[in-house]
Amino acid sequence: MTKFSLLDLVPVVEGGTVSQALANAADLARHAEAHGYNRYWVAEHHGMEGIASAATAVVIAHVGAATSTIRVGAGGIMLPNHAPLQIAEQFGTLDALFPGRIDLGLGRAPGSDQRVARAIRRTLDSDPNAFPNDVVELQSYLADDGRTGISATPGAGARPDLWILGSSLFGAQLAAMLGLPYAFASHFAPDALDQAMEIYRRDFRPSAQLDKPYAMAGFNVFAADTRAEAELLATSQQQQFVALRTGNPGKMKPPVPGYRDSLPPMHARILDSVLSCSAIGDRDDVAAGIAAFVKRTGVDEVMLTSSIYDHEARKRSIAIAAEAMRVPEVA
């Protein structure tokens, strides 16, 4: 059976607070653990009032302390924003706190706009194309192989599972070259999914971490007891995507009946494209949608994301999704 995991952007809802969002994250992770999810990831985003996971390693520690068996980690850390040594120290600390449970997904996007990226990095003189070298440097600190001349403390000898993340072909090529597991961001950037998976599997080179390709892909799920309810719940995330694409990001808004039908045709087409890797409906709808996605991609694991305004409705959605993932596929 294909494994299933959960990506949480730790949404700050309209009328809510960061404290509430972080409390919900811990509760959601416990809920996912109880329903058999394999891992729970949060992502690094900056300068966005609707996302509370900017201090990603801190949030992972918060969630790790609230759970006991589920893997927790970053999906991901945007490595160009950081010195590899600092990430080795942060995730070495997490690995010491929660041994055998920490994942470290690495991406090369800024997780922000250029203005915010400059505030984080202080300078943009660093070359984003140095990302592969930064990954190798980070691996060296964790392995404590002496190549850098520095022993990371904590970090030396730590064993978080490294992943390469991507929404283009670059990440697929790098993951294949380094022999690392690969996660594709098809939940918001699905265009290159099939080609990226083909390249990753074709060019994969075995490594000390992984002897054969292991691929995961993002998939949106908006599940409820009825299709009509699920379609309503999905409108909060739809509003988020449209707001982001039109330069007006903000806190997650309550659902709006008939939202998609109210959009101009251009915005509706953008929304349909961005959210093409999604299932909306009851358990049977979601089971069929996930099964078709797994059949199409052949992924080893599906990273579900279910961004819903109401916390209890969101918990219900991921519970239904867990049930759907266990429904036997019909030949």
PDB file of all heavy atoms in Angstrom, residues 6-7 24 36 38-39 65-67 93 99 122 128 137 139 141 166 194 210 233 242 257 274 288 299 301 308 316 319:
ATOM      1  N   LEU A   6       1.461  14.063   5.607  1.00  0.00           N
ATOM      2  CA  LEU A   6       0.713  15.316   5.678  1.00  0.00           C
ATOM      3  C   LEU A   6       1.654  16.510   5.663  1.00  0.00           C
ATOM      4  O   LEU A   6       2.614  16.576   6.440  1.00  0.00           O
ATOM      5  CB  LEU A   6      -0.126  15.356   6.962  1.00  0.00           C
ATOM      6  CG  LEU A   6      -1.028  16.580   7.128  1.00  0.00           C
ATOM      7  CD1 LEU A   6      -2.155  16.566   6.097  1.00  0.00           C
ATOM      8  CD2 LEU A   6      -1.610  16.630   8.541  1.00  0.00           C
ATOM      9  N   LEU A   7       1.370  17.454   4.772  1.00  0.00           N
ATOM     10  CA  LEU A   7       2.053  18.748   4.747  1.00  0.00           C
ATOM     11  C   LEU A   7       1.126  19.787   5.361  1.00  0.00           C
ATOM     12  O   LEU A   7      -0.027  19.936   4.935  1.00  0.00           O
ATOM     13  CB  LEU A   7       2.394  19.141   3.308  1.00  0.00           C
ATOM     14  CG  LEU A   7       2.970  20.543   3.116  1.00  0.00           C
ATOM     15  CD1 LEU A   7       4.339  20.669   3.782  1.00  0.00           C
ATOM     16  CD2 LEU A   7       3.066  20.901   1.644  1.00  0.00           C
ATOM     17  N   ASN A  24      -2.906  24.544  16.866  1.00  0.00           N
ATOM     18  CA  ASN A  24      -3.591  23.679  15.913  1.00  0.00           C
ATOM     19  C   ASN A  24      -2.617  22.735  15.215  1.00  0.00           C
ATOM     20  O   ASN A  24      -2.965  21.579  14.921  1.00  0.00           O
ATOM     21  CB  ASN A  24      -4.319  24.524  14.865  1.00  0.00           C
ATOM     22  CG  ASN A  24      -5.569  25.194  15.398  1.00  0.00           C
ATOM     23  OD1 ASN A  24      -6.065  24.853  16.472  1.00  0.00           O
ATOM     24  ND2 ASN A  24      -6.081  26.165  14.661  1.00  0.00           N
ATOM     25  N   GLY A  36      -2.495   7.092  11.273  1.00  0.00           N
ATOM     26  CA  GLY A  36      -1.562   6.298  10.482  1.00  0.00           C
ATOM     27  C   GLY A  36      -0.749   7.047   9.445  1.00  0.00           C
ATOM     28  O   GLY A  36      -0.120   6.426   8.581  1.00  0.00           O
ATOM     29  N   ASN A  38       2.389   8.740   7.835  1.00  0.00           N
ATOM     30  CA  ASN A  38       3.789   8.349   7.980  1.00  0.00           C
ATOM     31  C   ASN A  38       4.667   9.486   8.484  1.00  0.00           C
ATOM     32  O   ASN A  38       5.564   9.279   9.285  1.00  0.00           O
ATOM     33  CB  ASN A  38       4.316   7.856   6.629  1.00  0.00           C
ATOM     34  CG  ASN A  38       5.705   7.267   6.718  1.00  0.00           C
ATOM     35  OD1 ASN A  38       6.000   6.509   7.641  1.00  0.00           O
ATOM     36  ND2 ASN A  38       6.575   7.620   5.774  1.00  0.00           N
ATOM     37  N   ARG A  39       4.407  10.695   7.994  1.00  0.00           N
ATOM     38  CA  ARG A  39       5.220  11.847   8.384  1.00  0.00           C
ATOM     39  C   ARG A  39       4.365  13.116   8.339  1.00  0.00           C
ATOM     40  O   ARG A  39       3.349  13.178   7.645  1.00  0.00           O
ATOM     41  CB  ARG A  39       6.470  11.983   7.506  1.00  0.00           C
ATOM     42  CG  ARG A  39       6.213  12.191   6.037  1.00  0.00           C
ATOM     43  CD  ARG A  39       7.520  12.135   5.214  1.00  0.00           C
ATOM     44  NE  ARG A  39       7.776  10.792   4.719  1.00  0.00           N
ATOM     45  CZ  ARG A  39       8.876  10.085   4.958  1.00  0.00           C
ATOM     46  NH1 ARG A  39       9.847  10.590   5.689  1.00  0.00           N
ATOM     47  NH2 ARG A  39       9.023   8.865   4.471  1.00  0.00           N
ATOM     48  N   ALA A  65       7.505  17.427  20.081  1.00  0.00           N
ATOM     49  CA  ALA A  65       7.216  17.245  21.509  1.00  0.00           C
ATOM     50  C   ALA A  65       5.767  16.840  21.757  1.00  0.00           C
ATOM     51  O   ALA A  65       5.455  16.244  22.790  1.00  0.00           O
ATOM     52  CB  ALA A  65       7.534  18.532  22.263  1.00  0.00           C
ATOM     53  N   ALA A  66       4.896  17.153  20.800  1.00  0.00           N
ATOM     54  CA  ALA A  66       3.474  16.836  20.952  1.00  0.00           C
ATOM     55  C   ALA A  66       3.115  15.454  20.428  1.00  0.00           C
ATOM     56  O   ALA A  66       1.986  15.000  20.613  1.00  0.00           O
ATOM     57  CB  ALA A  66       2.637  17.887  20.215  1.00  0.00           C
ATOM     58  N   THR A  67       4.051  14.772  19.774  1.00  0.00           N
ATOM     59  CA  THR A  67       3.805  13.467  19.158  1.00  0.00           C
ATOM     60  C   THR A  67       4.836  12.465  19.660  1.00  0.00           C
ATOM     61  O   THR A  67       5.774  12.826  20.374  1.00  0.00           O
ATOM     62  CB  THR A  67       3.877  13.583  17.627  1.00  0.00           C
ATOM     63  OG1 THR A  67       5.139  14.175  17.253  1.00  0.00           O
ATOM     64  CG2 THR A  67       2.745  14.455  17.075  1.00  0.00           C
ATOM     65  N   THR A  93      20.278  19.124  16.361  1.00  0.00           N
ATOM     66  CA  THR A  93      19.570  19.278  17.635  1.00  0.00           C
ATOM     67  C   THR A  93      18.239  18.531  17.612  1.00  0.00           C
ATOM     68  O   THR A  93      17.899  17.804  18.554  1.00  0.00           O
ATOM     69  CB  THR A  93      19.331  20.771  17.920  1.00  0.00           C
ATOM     70  OG1 THR A  93      20.581  21.458  17.966  1.00  0.00           O
ATOM     71  CG2 THR A  93      18.593  20.952  19.243  1.00  0.00           C
ATOM     72  N   PRO A  99      15.219  11.218  18.084  1.00  0.00           N
ATOM     73  CA  PRO A  99      16.028  10.334  17.241  1.00  0.00           C
ATOM     74  C   PRO A  99      15.176   9.406  16.388  1.00  0.00           C
ATOM     75  O   PRO A  99      14.183   8.844  16.852  1.00  0.00           O
ATOM     76  CB  PRO A  99      16.878   9.549  18.254  1.00  0.00           C
ATOM     77  CG  PRO A  99      16.194   9.712  19.573  1.00  0.00           C
ATOM     78  CD  PRO A  99      15.501  11.033  19.520  1.00  0.00           C
ATOM     79  N   ARG A 122      20.452  39.309   3.881  1.00  0.00           N
ATOM     80  CA  ARG A 122      21.215  40.545   3.952  1.00  0.00           C
ATOM     81  C   ARG A 122      21.869  40.914   2.618  1.00  0.00           C
ATOM     82  O   ARG A 122      22.131  42.056   2.344  1.00  0.00           O
ATOM     83  CB  ARG A 122      22.306  40.513   5.048  1.00  0.00           C
ATOM     84  CG  ARG A 122      21.829  40.011   6.389  1.00  0.00           C
ATOM     85  CD  ARG A 122      20.645  40.800   6.909  1.00  0.00           C
ATOM     86  NE  ARG A 122      20.942  42.225   7.118  1.00  0.00           N
ATOM     87  CZ  ARG A 122      20.024  43.135   7.454  1.00  0.00           C
ATOM     88  NH1 ARG A 122      18.762  42.775   7.590  1.00  0.00           N
ATOM     89  NH2 ARG A 122      20.373  44.384   7.653  1.00  0.00           N
ATOM     90  N   PRO A 128      22.127  31.264  -6.394  1.00  0.00           N
ATOM     91  CA  PRO A 128      21.181  30.159  -6.171  1.00  0.00           C
ATOM     92  C   PRO A 128      21.629  28.863  -6.831  1.00  0.00           C
ATOM     93  O   PRO A 128      21.246  27.772  -6.396  1.00  0.00           O
ATOM     94  CB  PRO A 128      19.887  30.674  -6.806  1.00  0.00           C
ATOM     95  CG  PRO A 128      20.029  32.150  -6.855  1.00  0.00           C
ATOM     96  CD  PRO A 128      21.494  32.423  -7.033  1.00  0.00           C
ATOM     97  N   GLU A 137      27.776  20.239   1.135  1.00  0.00           N
ATOM     98  CA  GLU A 137      28.418  20.750   2.351  1.00  0.00           C
ATOM     99  C   GLU A 137      27.626  20.334   3.589  1.00  0.00           C
ATOM    100  O   GLU A 137      28.206  19.896   4.599  1.00  0.00           O
ATOM    101  CB  GLU A 137      28.531  22.279   2.284  1.00  0.00           C
ATOM    102  CG  GLU A 137      29.229  22.890   3.500  1.00  0.00           C
ATOM    103  CD  GLU A 137      29.297  24.409   3.433  1.00  0.00           C
ATOM    104  OE1 GLU A 137      29.132  24.977   2.329  1.00  0.00           O
ATOM    105  OE2 GLU A 137      29.503  25.033   4.503  1.00  0.00           O
ATOM    106  N   GLN A 139      25.671  17.734   3.869  1.00  0.00           N
ATOM    107  CA  GLN A 139      25.888  16.297   4.050  1.00  0.00           C
ATOM    108  C   GLN A 139      27.216  16.028   4.755  1.00  0.00           C
ATOM    109  O   GLN A 139      27.317  15.131   5.601  1.00  0.00           O
ATOM    110  CB  GLN A 139      25.866  15.590   2.697  1.00  0.00           C
ATOM    111  CG  GLN A 139      24.497  15.447   2.072  1.00  0.00           C
ATOM    112  CD  GLN A 139      24.553  14.700   0.750  1.00  0.00           C
ATOM    113  OE1 GLN A 139      25.294  15.082  -0.173  1.00  0.00           O
ATOM    114  NE2 GLN A 139      23.787  13.632   0.635  1.00  0.00           N
ATOM    115  N   TYR A 141      28.802  17.989   6.918  1.00  0.00           N
ATOM    116  CA  TYR A 141      28.689  18.283   8.353  1.00  0.00           C
ATOM    117  C   TYR A 141      27.986  17.153   9.094  1.00  0.00           C
ATOM    118  O   TYR A 141      28.406  16.747  10.184  1.00  0.00           O
ATOM    119  CB  TYR A 141      27.906  19.582   8.564  1.00  0.00           C
ATOM    120  CG  TYR A 141      28.630  20.826   8.123  1.00  0.00           C
ATOM    121  CD1 TYR A 141      28.013  21.744   7.278  1.00  0.00           C
ATOM    122  CD2 TYR A 141      29.922  21.106   8.553  1.00  0.00           C
ATOM    123  CE1 TYR A 141      28.665  22.900   6.870  1.00  0.00           C
ATOM    124  CE2 TYR A 141      30.591  22.251   8.148  1.00  0.00           C
ATOM    125  CZ  TYR A 141      29.947  23.146   7.303  1.00  0.00           C
ATOM    126  OH  TYR A 141      30.600  24.279   6.892  1.00  0.00           O
ATOM    127  N   GLY A 166      11.261  19.804  -5.074  1.00  0.00           N
ATOM    128  CA  GLY A 166      11.289  20.551  -6.319  1.00  0.00           C
ATOM    129  C   GLY A 166       9.930  20.699  -6.953  1.00  0.00           C
ATOM    130  O   GLY A 166       8.992  19.961  -6.643  1.00  0.00           O
ATOM    131  N   ASP A 194       5.150  14.827 -14.277  1.00  0.00           N
ATOM    132  CA  ASP A 194       5.423  13.550 -14.944  1.00  0.00           C
ATOM    133  C   ASP A 194       6.852  13.486 -15.473  1.00  0.00           C
ATOM    134  O   ASP A 194       7.539  12.468 -15.330  1.00  0.00           O
ATOM    135  CB  ASP A 194       4.418  13.326 -16.070  1.00  0.00           C
ATOM    136  CG  ASP A 194       2.987  13.245 -15.554  1.00  0.00           C
ATOM    137  OD1 ASP A 194       2.740  12.472 -14.609  1.00  0.00           O
ATOM    138  OD2 ASP A 194       2.127  13.972 -16.065  1.00  0.00           O
ATOM    139  N   LEU A 210      20.228   5.646   0.178  1.00  0.00           N
ATOM    140  CA  LEU A 210      19.120   5.070  -0.581  1.00  0.00           C
ATOM    141  C   LEU A 210      19.659   4.217  -1.716  1.00  0.00           C
ATOM    142  O   LEU A 210      20.517   4.667  -2.484  1.00  0.00           O
ATOM    143  CB  LEU A 210      18.271   6.216  -1.145  1.00  0.00           C
ATOM    144  CG  LEU A 210      16.834   5.944  -1.557  1.00  0.00           C
ATOM    145  CD1 LEU A 210      15.994   5.461  -0.386  1.00  0.00           C
ATOM    146  CD2 LEU A 210      16.222   7.205  -2.155  1.00  0.00           C
ATOM    147  N   LEU A 233     -15.754  23.696   1.684  1.00  0.00           N
ATOM    148  CA  LEU A 233     -14.518  23.797   2.461  1.00  0.00           C
ATOM    149  C   LEU A 233     -13.317  24.162   1.584  1.00  0.00           C
ATOM    150  O   LEU A 233     -12.420  24.898   1.998  1.00  0.00           O
ATOM    151  CB  LEU A 233     -14.237  22.478   3.182  1.00  0.00           C
ATOM    152  CG  LEU A 233     -15.229  22.062   4.273  1.00  0.00           C
ATOM    153  CD1 LEU A 233     -14.880  20.668   4.788  1.00  0.00           C
ATOM    154  CD2 LEU A 233     -15.244  23.064   5.417  1.00  0.00           C
ATOM    155  N   VAL A 242      -5.714  32.302  -5.296  1.00  0.00           N
ATOM    156  CA  VAL A 242      -6.015  33.469  -6.133  1.00  0.00           C
ATOM    157  C   VAL A 242      -5.396  34.728  -5.534  1.00  0.00           C
ATOM    158  O   VAL A 242      -4.802  35.557  -6.253  1.00  0.00           O
ATOM    159  CB  VAL A 242      -7.540  33.630  -6.306  1.00  0.00           C
ATOM    160  CG1 VAL A 242      -7.868  34.964  -6.974  1.00  0.00           C
ATOM    161  CG2 VAL A 242      -8.099  32.478  -7.134  1.00  0.00           C
ATOM    162  N   PRO A 257     -19.642  30.191  -0.452  1.00  0.00           N
ATOM    163  CA  PRO A 257     -20.432  29.397  -1.408  1.00  0.00           C
ATOM    164  C   PRO A 257     -20.320  29.959  -2.823  1.00  0.00           C
ATOM    165  O   PRO A 257     -20.369  31.170  -3.032  1.00  0.00           O
ATOM    166  CB  PRO A 257     -21.869  29.543  -0.870  1.00  0.00           C
ATOM    167  CG  PRO A 257     -21.713  29.886   0.584  1.00  0.00           C
ATOM    168  CD  PRO A 257     -20.468  30.709   0.666  1.00  0.00           C
ATOM    169  N   VAL A 274      -3.543  25.225 -11.185  1.00  0.00           N
ATOM    170  CA  VAL A 274      -2.748  25.106  -9.963  1.00  0.00           C
ATOM    171  C   VAL A 274      -3.234  23.947  -9.105  1.00  0.00           C
ATOM    172  O   VAL A 274      -2.424  23.217  -8.507  1.00  0.00           O
ATOM    173  CB  VAL A 274      -2.804  26.426  -9.175  1.00  0.00           C
ATOM    174  CG1 VAL A 274      -2.273  26.248  -7.762  1.00  0.00           C
ATOM    175  CG2 VAL A 274      -2.011  27.509  -9.879  1.00  0.00           C
ATOM    176  N   ALA A 288     -10.997   7.591  -5.020  1.00  0.00           N
ATOM    177  CA  ALA A 288     -10.827   7.495  -6.476  1.00  0.00           C
ATOM    178  C   ALA A 288      -9.790   8.485  -6.971  1.00  0.00           C
ATOM    179  O   ALA A 288      -8.949   8.156  -7.836  1.00  0.00           O
ATOM    180  CB  ALA A 288     -12.163   7.740  -7.164  1.00  0.00           C
ATOM    181  N   VAL A 299       4.087   6.986  -7.535  1.00  0.00           N
ATOM    182  CA  VAL A 299       4.843   7.449  -6.376  1.00  0.00           C
ATOM    183  C   VAL A 299       4.796   6.426  -5.245  1.00  0.00           C
ATOM    184  O   VAL A 299       3.843   5.665  -5.107  1.00  0.00           O
ATOM    185  CB  VAL A 299       4.327   8.809  -5.864  1.00  0.00           C
ATOM    186  CG1 VAL A 299       4.662   9.914  -6.851  1.00  0.00           C
ATOM    187  CG2 VAL A 299       2.839   8.780  -5.578  1.00  0.00           C
ATOM    188  N   GLU A 301       4.915   7.390  -2.115  1.00  0.00           N
ATOM    189  CA  GLU A 301       4.249   8.042  -0.992  1.00  0.00           C
ATOM    190  C   GLU A 301       3.525   9.279  -1.520  1.00  0.00           C
ATOM    191  O   GLU A 301       4.011   9.954  -2.428  1.00  0.00           O
ATOM    192  CB  GLU A 301       5.288   8.439   0.061  1.00  0.00           C
ATOM    193  CG  GLU A 301       4.750   8.873   1.388  1.00  0.00           C
ATOM    194  CD  GLU A 301       5.817   8.878   2.486  1.00  0.00           C
ATOM    195  OE1 GLU A 301       6.875   8.229   2.311  1.00  0.00           O
ATOM    196  OE2 GLU A 301       5.585   9.535   3.518  1.00  0.00           O
ATOM    197  N   ILE A 308      -7.817  23.952   5.302  1.00  0.00           N
ATOM    198  CA  ILE A 308      -9.242  24.229   5.524  1.00  0.00           C
ATOM    199  C   ILE A 308      -9.364  25.217   6.677  1.00  0.00           C
ATOM    200  O   ILE A 308      -8.631  25.143   7.666  1.00  0.00           O
ATOM    201  CB  ILE A 308      -9.986  22.911   5.826  1.00  0.00           C
ATOM    202  CG1 ILE A 308     -10.052  22.058   4.548  1.00  0.00           C
ATOM    203  CG2 ILE A 308     -11.371  23.154   6.380  1.00  0.00           C
ATOM    204  CD1 ILE A 308     -10.587  20.659   4.761  1.00  0.00           C
ATOM    205  N   ARG A 316     -11.326  16.388  10.349  1.00  0.00           N
ATOM    206  CA  ARG A 316     -12.222  15.413   9.727  1.00  0.00           C
ATOM    207  C   ARG A 316     -11.756  15.078   8.319  1.00  0.00           C
ATOM    208  O   ARG A 316     -11.795  13.910   7.894  1.00  0.00           O
ATOM    209  CB  ARG A 316     -13.644  15.970   9.707  1.00  0.00           C
ATOM    210  CG  ARG A 316     -14.670  15.055   9.049  1.00  0.00           C
ATOM    211  CD  ARG A 316     -14.832  13.752   9.786  1.00  0.00           C
ATOM    212  NE  ARG A 316     -15.801  12.877   9.131  1.00  0.00           N
ATOM    213  CZ  ARG A 316     -15.703  11.560   9.095  1.00  0.00           C
ATOM    214  NH1 ARG A 316     -14.681  10.938   9.706  1.00  0.00           N
ATOM    215  NH2 ARG A 316     -16.613  10.833   8.488  1.00  0.00           N
ATOM    216  N   ALA A 319      -8.855  12.692   8.433  1.00  0.00           N
ATOM    217  CA  ALA A 319      -9.308  11.372   8.860  1.00  0.00           C
ATOM    218  C   ALA A 319      -9.967  10.634   7.694  1.00  0.00           C
ATOM    219  O   ALA A 319      -9.713   9.441   7.468  1.00  0.00           O
ATOM    220  CB  ALA A 319     -10.284  11.502  10.026  1.00  0.00           C
TER     221      ALA A 319
END
